[in-house]
């Protein structure tokens, strides 16, 4: 297999993987957006927090895979068409390498997604708790001022 063909096929495979993550991810969803929406309409809703945190994590993992896929395709286009490294000469080796990189990318993207989902969920929960504490302190201060005044 030619190096350019290898890079193009691998880039296309990772592009497909990225598109899968994009399909389940939400565009431009920040932690502050999740806090605002999940608190303003329904008070604190843990199910919504988990759902939106997962969408944000999927979007991030998909974006990174998509960038990597396009970089590989650009590299593939820049490689001379007659370049054929030893590791890619038997077609089976090239296919094995594509499958290996694909699976490794899937595992890494899934680990990243799970980490981001967990950290966003924890951060949103912490912000909700801080908001509740702040509102409680304001209410206590207003009550104490009303008693004193």
């Amino acid at each position: 297999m030619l190096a350019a063909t290898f890079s193009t096929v691998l880039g296309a495979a990772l592009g497909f993987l990225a598109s899968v993550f994009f399909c389940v991810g939400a565009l431009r969803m920040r932690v502050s957006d999740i806090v605002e929406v999940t608190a303003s309409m329904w008070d604190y809703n843990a199910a919504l927090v988990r759902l939106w945190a997962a969408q944000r994590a999927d979007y991030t993992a998909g974006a990174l895979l998509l960038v990597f896929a396009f970089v590989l395709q650009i590299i593939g286009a820049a490689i001379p068409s007659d370049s054929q490294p030893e590791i890619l000469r038997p077609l089976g080796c090239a296919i094995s390498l594509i499958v290996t990189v694909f699976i490794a990318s899937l595992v890494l993207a899934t680990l990243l997604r799970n980490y981001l989902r967990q950290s966003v969920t924890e951060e949103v929960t912490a912000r909700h708790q801080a908001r509740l504490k702040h509102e409680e302190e304001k209410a206590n201060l207003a009550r104490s001022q009303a008693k004193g005044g």
Side-chain angles (χ1 to χ4, degrees):
M1 180 181 276
L2 296 175
T5 305
F6 169 80
S7 182
T8 300
V9 170
L10 181 58
L14 291 178
F16 171 76
L17 185 61
S19 68
V20 170
F21 277 93
F22 267 113
C23 288
V24 294
L27 298 173
R28 299 180 194 223
M29 188 175 304
R30 299 178 315 232
V31 171
S32 58
D33 296 331
I34 297 171
V35 170
E36 189 65 33
V37 171
T38 58
S40 63
M41 297 177 192
W42 303 284
D43 195 23
Y44 177 77
N45 187 323
L48 277 177
V49 170
R50 286 191 304 272
L51 174 69
W52 288 35
Q55 288 178 349
R56 182 174 190 264
D58 287 331
Y59 169 74
T60 303
L64 292 174
L65 284 170
L66 193 58
V67 167
F68 185 55
F70 284 133
V71 167
L72 278 175
Q73 288 177 343
I74 290 169
I75 290 171
I79 295 174
S81 62
D82 60 347
S83 175
Q84 191 173 11
E86 280 295 319
I87 194 168
L88 304 179
R89 283 218 178 131
L91 184 59
C93 288
I95 292 171
S96 297
L97 189 55
I98 289 171
V99 170
T100 300
V101 173
F102 182 85
I103 291 171
S105 298
L106 175 61
V107 168
L108 289 174
T110 302
L111 290 172
L112 174 65
R113 180 194 63 192
N114 292 343
Y115 168 76
L116 290 174
R117 182 177 56 206
Q118 178 73 25
S119 65
V120 168
T121 300
E122 290 172 359
E123 185 175 345
V124 169
T125 302
R127 287 189 187 188
H128 274 297
Q129 291 171 348
R131 176 186 264 178
L132 289 175
K133 183 178 179 182
H134 177 70
E135 289 173 2
E136 185 179 323
E137 289 172 354
K138 281 178 34 179
N140 288 340
L141 180 61
R143 278 193 293 269
S144 68
Q145 287 177 348
K147 286 180 184 179

